[in-house]
Amino acid sequence: MPRTRESTIEDYLLSQCRAHGFLCLKFVSPARGGVPDRVVVAPGGTVFVEVKRPGGQLRKLQQLTHAKLRRHGAEVHVVDDKPSVDAFVANLLKTSSDQQRAAPCPTDA
């Protein structure tokens, strides 16, 4: 049975983000290794996403970089299969919906 490649998961993430109107930008930092693969911009916020093949593990440098990003207030997610991408997107949609309900309506003032 062929193994699912990381690129397959990344393509699925991109397609799901586009389907929901999110920006899903490739993140490359030539001067710093270990950065997440993608930056996703959605109404609920901007988050980093590391894409792995199913069962893939973070390298030590990635673990350190993700921890540093989190210490600075960033949200970092790791997805490694289609269900984890679906859960990630559902979480972004819920966050967006929750924020829209909590935001005051300009006409209420």
Side-chain angles (χ1 to χ4, degrees):
M1 183 161 119
R3 291 175 42 173
T4 302
R5 298 171 52 110
E6 181 176 309
S7 62
T8 302
I9 305 305
E10 191 165 12
D11 290 344
Y12 184 70
L13 171 66
L14 181 60
S15 71
Q16 291 304 299
C17 286
R18 286 180 176 164
H20 291 91
F22 304 155
L23 293 176
C24 185
L25 309 171
K26 184 73 173 171
F27 182 36
V28 179
S29 181
R32 182 173 299 273
V35 297
D37 298 306
R38 294 281 177 166
V39 178
V40 176
V41 182
T46 300
V47 298
F48 294 97
V49 182
E50 181 67 45
V51 181
K52 290 293 187 189
R53 63 177 169 75
Q57 300 295 311
L58 294 174
R59 291 177 288 121
K60 184 66 173 174
L61 182 57
Q62 290 174 318
Q63 292 173 2
L64 294 170
T65 302
H66 293 189
K68 186 173 190 176
L69 288 167
R70 288 182 178 115
R71 280 194 310 273
H72 283 83
E75 194 173 321
V76 183
H77 296 267
V78 179
V79 296
D80 69 347
D81 58 15
K82 289 182 178 182
S84 65
V85 170
D86 292 339
F88 166 73
V89 170
N91 183 55
L92 280 181
L93 290 168
K94 181 184 180 312
T95 301
S96 298
S97 175
D98 289 348
Q99 286 182 349
Q100 287 175 351
R101 279 196 297 269
C105 181
T107 59
D108 289 346

